[in-house]
């Protein structure tokens, strides 16, 4: 669904110590994949803990449009009766993926090797984002693609009738490209191979294996080589979605920067391909304990206990970027309160997210009195003992930018405002009540 909601200005004010338990929502990446693999399986997939943010709801609607039976049973509990690999039917209308890059890229992959035609669209943010990175490899399978200039949405894909297996080296570190190719490879005879220079989030590989696909990952001189055997019969599975480490990052950051805070964040995924922020925070001296480490839904999870304390600036190496790609906006907020500079290297991909996140963070931090240096692919935030605040940040239809600046304002001298907090609903619909429940003064 494209969002026609009016802009919703929000403000955060300096708050007293944050206390309590933050039950953050289900993982967005895993929620999309559970719906898509459920739709491509035979039988009923029961999903618990599904994120009911707008991005995922748009994917649920899309799966129904391709012929799956998708039903909400209770809060976070969904049932998907799949149509099997190759069983998608042609949707009657346009598939509107709203704000979601993951949704549109994975679904384009999932339908590109079935002989049906579908047209994809999205909101103003998604319509600016590069799609050729996915449609180029899908064309190698034999799909016919018509896109707007520059490979942008809206895009129409005529799926390949006789798809050929593909061996593809991803040009940028991207789990969305990898996953689109793997999902396309499901309906292809023979082996589809994706090679990535650096590992990206591996939820698709884990879940495909869980649904019975023959998939393996090897580390060779070429890089990470993922090989999928085509035309498996995917068997419906129960999926328990762990809590999202990218959403957890917001209350965690708030507790780190608001003096006297101590919070608990239970059941957060600690998948090593998503863990870069937490590795970085420990290097900065953050007081974070990981308790009850266990496995849930095929993913390692832990309960986080986070306390306020002094932080120091660090240099984040480029080879860590993929494992924390969505966390740089909130890291740049935390860095504003650290002693010294925090240097983030190898972050060019931030420029093609829901917004240009380097530009959005740099301008918003500067408006609140923080010094930031940027290059094409790096960002440096200079920490200070007292962060002035008092400025307005522009969210550019980007949920993570809006939430980052609201967290900033909980510890600045003067309040921080964002022009539009409505995009927060795409990934973290209960952000405001959850933060208010911890004692944060925002709204
Ligand atoms: C995602 C992959 C990442 C990430 C996005 C979710 C996924 O994008 O930024 O929020 O679920 O595969 P890229 O693949 O473009 O890095």
């Amino acid at each position: 669904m494209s969002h026609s909601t009016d802009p919703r200005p929000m403000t955060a004010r300096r708050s007293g110590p944050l206390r309590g338990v933050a039950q953050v929502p289900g993982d967005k990446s895993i929620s999309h994949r559970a719906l898509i693999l459920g739709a491509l399986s035979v039988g009923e997939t029961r999903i618990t803990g599904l994120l009911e943010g707008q991005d995922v709801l748009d994917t649920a609607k899309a799966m129904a449009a391709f012929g799956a039976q998708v039903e909400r049973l209770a809060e976070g509990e969904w049932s998907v009766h799949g149509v099997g690999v190759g069983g998608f039917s042609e949707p009657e209308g346009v598939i509107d993926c709203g704000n979601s890059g993951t949704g549109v890229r994975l679904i384009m992959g999932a339908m590109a090797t079935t002989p049906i035609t579908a047209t994809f669209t999205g909101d103003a943010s998604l319509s600016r984002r590069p799609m050729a990175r996915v449609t180029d490899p899908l064309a190698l399978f034999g799909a016919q693609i018509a896109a707007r200039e520059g490979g942008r949405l809206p895009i129409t894909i005529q799926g390949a009738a006789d798809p050929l297996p593909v061996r593809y080296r991803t040009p940028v570190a991207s789990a969305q490209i990898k996953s689109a190719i793997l999902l396309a490879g499901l309906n292809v005879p023979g082996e589809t191979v994706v090679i990535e220079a650096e590992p990206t989030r591996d939820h698709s590989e884990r879940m495909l294996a869980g649904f019975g696909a023959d998939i393996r990952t090897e580390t060779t001189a070429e890089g990470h080589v993922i090989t999928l055997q085509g035309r498996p019969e995917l068997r419906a599975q129960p999926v328990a979605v762990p809590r999202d480490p990218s959403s957890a990052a917001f209350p965690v950051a708030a507790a780190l920067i608001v003096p006297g805070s101590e919070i608990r964040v239970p059941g957060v995924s600690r998948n090593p391909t998503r863990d870069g922020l937490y590795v970085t925070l420990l290097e900065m001296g953050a007081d974070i304990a990981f308790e009850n480490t266990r496995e849930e839904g095929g993913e390692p999870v832990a309960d986080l206990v986070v306390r306020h304390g002094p932080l120091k600036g660090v240099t984040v190496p480029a080879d860590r970027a993929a494992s924390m790609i969505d966390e740089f906006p909130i890291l740049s907020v935390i860095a504003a309160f650290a002693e010294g500079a925090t240097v983030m290297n190898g972050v060019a991909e931030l420029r093609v997210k829901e917004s240009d996140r380097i530009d959005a963070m740099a301008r918003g931090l500067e408006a609140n009195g923080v010094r930031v240096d940027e290059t094409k692919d790096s960002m440096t935030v200079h920490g200070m003992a007292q962060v002035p605040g008092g400025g307005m940040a522009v969210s550019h239809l980007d949920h993570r930018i809006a939430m980052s600046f609201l967290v900033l304002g909980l510890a600045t001298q003067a309040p921080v405002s964002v022009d539009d907090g409505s995009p927060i609903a795409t990934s973290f619909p209960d952000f405001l009540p959850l933060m208010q429940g911890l004692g944060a003064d925002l709204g």
Side-chain angles (χ1 to χ4, degrees):
M1 191 186 88
S2 282
H3 308 282
S4 52
T5 45
D6 291 332
R8 182 170 171 203
M10 291 186 186
T11 299
R13 294 177 184 78
R14 194 175 174 80
S15 300
L18 305 180
R19 293 283 159 83
V21 179
Q23 303 277 9
V24 301
D27 190 273
K28 182 148 73 73
S29 294
I30 296 174
S31 294
H32 283 292
R33 287 159 172 82
L35 289 166
I36 296 170
L37 286 192
L40 290 171
S41 302
V42 175
E44 183 193 12
T45 290
R46 280 284 183 109
I47 308 169
T48 50
L50 188 86
L51 165 65
E52 294 179 341
Q54 192 57 48
D55 280 10
V56 175
L57 298 179
D58 288 337
T59 288
K61 208 165 140 201
M63 290 303 98
F66 281 102
Q69 201 183 314
V70 183
E71 209 183 331
R72 182 181 193 266
L73 306 174
E75 193 184 330
E77 196 178 332
W78 288 63
S79 157
V80 183
H81 284 271
V83 293
V85 168
F88 274 179
S89 51
E90 193 160 273
E92 281 177 21
V94 168
I95 303 296
D96 187 344
C97 291
N99 192 249
S100 180
T102 307
V104 75
R105 292 184 176 126
L106 269 55
I107 299 167
M108 288 196 294
M111 61 71 61
T113 50
T114 301
I116 56 173
T117 297
T119 298
F120 296 87
T121 184
D123 71 2
S125 153
L126 194 58
S127 302
R128 280 192 291 269
R129 298 179 65 184
M131 294 296 149
R133 52 177 54 197
V134 166
T135 52
D136 285 351
L138 296 182
L140 300 176
F141 285 100
Q144 305 280 325
I145 289 137
R148 260 177 64 224
E149 189 269 321
R152 320 269 151 177
L153 293 175
I155 289 177
T156 296
I157 300 185
Q158 193 183 335
D162 291 306
L164 306 165
V166 163
R167 183 182 174 84
Y168 195 77
R169 190 178 178 86
T170 54
V172 289
S174 165
Q176 293 177 358
I177 303 176
K178 169 177 68 178
S179 302
I181 296 168
L182 293 173
L183 290 169
L186 283 173
N187 197 32
V188 178
E191 282 182 353
T192 289
V193 181
V194 184
I195 303 154
E196 40 181 22
E198 281 164 33
T200 60
R201 64 189 69 194
D202 62 357
H203 308 301
S204 297
E205 296 92 306
R206 286 173 188 254
M207 207 182 283
L208 279 164
F211 276 70
D214 180 354
I215 183 166
R216 61 178 195 277
T217 302
E218 294 150 303
T219 306
T220 72
E222 280 188 291
H224 286 261
V225 182
I226 303 131
T227 306
L228 172 77
Q229 206 65 48
R231 302 255 162 96
E233 177 164 314
L234 296 183
R235 290 181 303 274
Q237 297 290 318
V239 181
V241 180
R243 296 180 192 274
D244 196 322
S246 303
S247 297
F250 298 102
V252 165
L256 290 175
I257 63 174
V258 173
S261 298
E262 173 171 344
I263 66 162
R264 195 175 182 84
V265 193
V268 177
S269 168
R270 288 220 66 202
N271 181 318
T273 62
R274 296 284 297 280
D275 215 23
L277 175 72
Y278 297 95
V279 173
T280 304
L281 292 175
L282 293 177
E283 288 177 2
M284 295 174 82
D287 185 348
I288 304 179
F290 300 91
E291 297 183 351
N292 301 323
T293 300
R294 57 199 182 272
E295 183 141 317
E296 274 177 17
E299 299 270 339
V301 305
D303 302 336
L304 276 47
V305 180
V306 187
R307 295 184 192 87
H308 170 262
L311 299 168
K312 56 182 190 302
V314 294
T315 295
V316 184
D319 65 5
R320 194 182 295 160
S323 68
M324 55 181 293
I325 196 65
D326 291 335
E327 282 67 77
F328 286 103
I330 193 62
L331 176 63
S332 68
V333 165
I334 300 169
F337 296 88
E339 187 192 335
T342 295
V343 184
M344 301 165 233
N345 286 321
V347 294
E349 274 292 295
L350 295 186
R351 297 205 182 271
V352 292
K353 294 295 177 189
E354 285 84 330
S355 66
D356 176 341
R357 286 181 170 164
I358 296 179
D359 183 69
M361 289 312 299
R363 300 296 82 76
L365 285 169
E366 284 164 0
N368 285 287
V370 181
R371 191 156 67 84
V372 181
D373 302 319
E374 61 174 294
T375 68
K376 213 165 88 307
D377 69 348
S378 77
M379 176 163 59
T380 300
V381 175
H382 299 272
M384 54 211 300
Q386 303 283 350
V387 181
M392 163 75 87
V394 181
S395 66
H396 298 284
L397 284 180
D398 188 331
H399 53 133
R400 297 199 202 280
I401 299 300
M403 289 187 279
S404 294
F405 283 109
L406 291 172
V407 169
L408 177 76
L410 301 178
T412 46
Q413 301 294 300
V416 172
S417 297
V418 293
D419 67 327
D420 183 12
S422 65
I424 293 172
T426 61
S427 70
F428 202 156
D430 289 334
F431 175 74
L432 279 188
L434 181 143
M435 295 300 294
Q436 287 161 346
L438 298 173
D441 182 356
L442 79 185

